[in-house]
Amino acid sequence: MTKDECRMPKEGAAARHARASAAFGFQKFGVRHSAILFLFSTVWAQADAPRGTLPAEQRTNGKQTLAAVEKLKPLTAACAARIESLLGRPICTATIVGEDGYVLLKASEVPELQKARIKFSDGRTADLREVHRETRLDLLLAQAVGITGLRAVSFGGARTLTLGQWLCSVADSGTEPRIGIVSAKNRRIAGTGAALGIRMDEKSTKDGKGVRIVGIASESPAEAAGLQEDDILLTIAGEKVVEFRRVHDIVNKRQPGEIIDVRYLRKDKEESCRVRLASRTKVLQNWEGEDFANGGVSLRSDNFPEVLQHDIPLLPTDMGGPVATLEGKVVGINIARVDRVTTFALPVEAFWTEAQQWMKEDRHPPKAVPAE
């Protein structure tokens, strides 16, 4: 027995009982505490444990999802074709509306049809002949030269659709089916005019020869045409300009997609370029950073008499393709990708009666009246 132990007072029975009870209670609490810690640590471990990811085919439009729209392929993918440049770059999609080669597409994407061609799902390609360009609807009726035996789309009605109703369309220039829903009521979309995508000095140049550019919007028509800051605009669409307001007036009277000639001065050297105008809405989105990293928006995204709005994930190159209900009724043609989650389609009632008349007049032109 140590000295320290000898100095400790003797413990009575009551004290020993109390100490024993306290020790037993602590042990019981320790058991419960350990059990609780074990339980939570198990839950945390399960939460932190990596979960198996879905197979790639189930992450977007997987096989099971697309099985529901498989029967619609003859009404969508089989009735769509790809419009591409002469070098094979995709431009937009076309909807086949006549067995003898008639197609409808987005007009603002092909201002110069002779520089484009059409490629069908069976691999055939052809030149295109312009039949009718309807600026009001941003639609172009064209005919594939020398092509027959096509499967034309069959239209239903669009104005009875309801919010949340499923729709099916095609992506990748008509080869991949995708689904979404009607996301807003049909309505008119007002136009905001066309734009170059530039900011100009409000003061005329010292010599009064033109208007100086002080800013260029990213991904704008001006940037695509090669215009730069400090260039001095001399003429727009053949008209001399000496103040910035006149530039606005000339451009704003035109439609997105139109091509205008621009003459300008760069470091005392006069140069010229051709600019394909875009919707002012698109230009402002780019300037504010709204259009970055989302696949882009259409050159023209407004000024339509009526639109059917849906959320099918599409790109600008998919515009012009058909959109159908899951019951198999083709109800319109995609006409503008507006933002990350919004696409406008022209409902069938807005264009099909006129389009049929354009085809009829082209197939059976009036006979020439003999000169008297």
Side-chain angles (χ1 to χ4, degrees), residues 12 40 43 96 163 193 224 239 246 277 287 310 366:
F40 276 107
V43 172
I96 301 169
L163 286 175
E239 181 177 334
R246 188 55 192 154
L277 302 176
W287 227 315
H310 61 78

Side-chain angles (χ1 to χ4, degrees), residues 151-223:
R151 177 161 187 162
V153 70
S154 178
F155 288 110
R159 289 178 179 160
T160 58
L161 298 176
T162 58
L163 286 175
Q165 186 167 343
W166 287 101
L167 296 174
C168 176
S169 190
V170 286
D172 195 18
S173 298
T175 61
E176 178 187 341
R178 290 185 182 174
I179 60 174
I181 63 168
V182 178
S183 56
K185 294 182 179 180
N186 287 18
R187 64 198 188 281
R188 177 179 178 271
I189 300 296
T192 58
L196 285 167
I198 61 174
R199 286 195 176 102
M200 297 169 284
D201 191 340
E202 297 185 6
K203 297 179 180 179
S204 299
T205 57
K206 292 180 180 180
D207 54 12
K209 287 185 176 181
V211 180
R212 185 182 301 278
I213 296 176
V214 296
I216 302 282
S218 176
E219 299 182 19
S220 67
E223 183 183 73

Side-chain angles (χ1 to χ4, degrees), residues 40-233:
F40 276 107
S41 63
T42 302
V43 172
W44 290 333
Q46 292 176 348
D48 291 338
R51 297 180 179 181
T53 57
L54 288 172
E57 65 180 23
Q58 295 181 14
R59 293 178 187 172
T60 53
N61 286 287
K63 290 181 179 179
Q64 292 180 339
T65 303
L66 294 180
V69 295
E70 186 70 23
K71 65 179 182 179
L72 299 179
K73 278 188 176 181
L75 303 174
T76 53
C79 298
R82 169 173 167 166
I83 303 298
E84 60 184 23
S85 71
L86 300 180
L87 297 176
R89 180 183 63 83
I91 297 175
C92 64
T93 302
T95 295
I96 301 169
V97 293
E99 296 179 359
D100 47 352
Y102 287 98
V103 295
L104 284 170
L105 52 142
K106 184 172 171 62
S108 58
E109 295 295 336
V110 280
E112 299 173 304
L113 195 60
Q114 70 277 13
K115 295 183 179 180
R117 65 185 179 190
I118 189 167
K119 184 174 183 179
F120 295 96
S121 58
D122 59 9
R124 288 185 292 174
T125 61
D127 293 331
L128 289 161
R129 179 178 68 88
E130 185 167 325
V131 177
H132 184 90
R133 186 179 291 266
E134 185 57 51
T135 304
R136 178 177 60 89
L137 298 171
D138 197 20
L139 275 183
L140 171 62
L141 175 67
Q143 186 179 32
V145 179
I147 298 292
T148 57
L150 298 175
R151 177 161 187 162
V153 70
S154 178
F155 288 110
R159 289 178 179 160
T160 58
L161 298 176
T162 58
L163 286 175
Q165 186 167 343
W166 287 101
L167 296 174
C168 176
S169 190
V170 286
D172 195 18
S173 298
T175 61
E176 178 187 341
R178 290 185 182 174
I179 60 174
I181 63 168
V182 178
S183 56
K185 294 182 179 180
N186 287 18
R187 64 198 188 281
R188 177 179 178 271
I189 300 296
T192 58
L196 285 167
I198 61 174
R199 286 195 176 102
M200 297 169 284
D201 191 340
E202 297 185 6
K203 297 179 180 179
S204 299
T205 57
K206 292 180 180 180
D207 54 12
K209 287 185 176 181
V211 180
R212 185 182 301 278
I213 296 176
V214 296
I216 302 282
S218 176
E219 299 182 19
S220 67
E223 183 183 73
L227 291 171
Q228 301 176 7
E229 290 184 18
D230 291 327
D231 287 346
I232 297 175
L233 300 175

Side-chain angles (χ1 to χ4, degrees), residues 87 263 330:
L87 297 176
R263 284 179 53 242
V330 177

Side-chain angles (χ1 to χ4, degrees), residues 287-343:
W287 227 315
E288 296 170 0
E290 295 295 330
D291 186 32
F292 298 156
N294 75 344
V297 299
S298 297
L299 280 172
R300 176 174 166 182
S301 56
D302 56 21
N303 197 19
F304 299 111
E306 184 181 1
V307 298
L308 161 64
Q309 180 177 321
H310 61 78
D311 68 352
I312 301 174
L314 301 173
L315 294 176
T317 51
D318 300 319
M319 297 303 100
V323 57
T325 66
L326 298 192
E327 291 74 31
K329 296 180 180 179
V330 177
V331 292
I333 289 179
N334 294 313
I335 200 65
R337 185 177 195 257
V338 182
D339 56 36
R340 294 172 177 83
V341 293
T342 304
T343 295

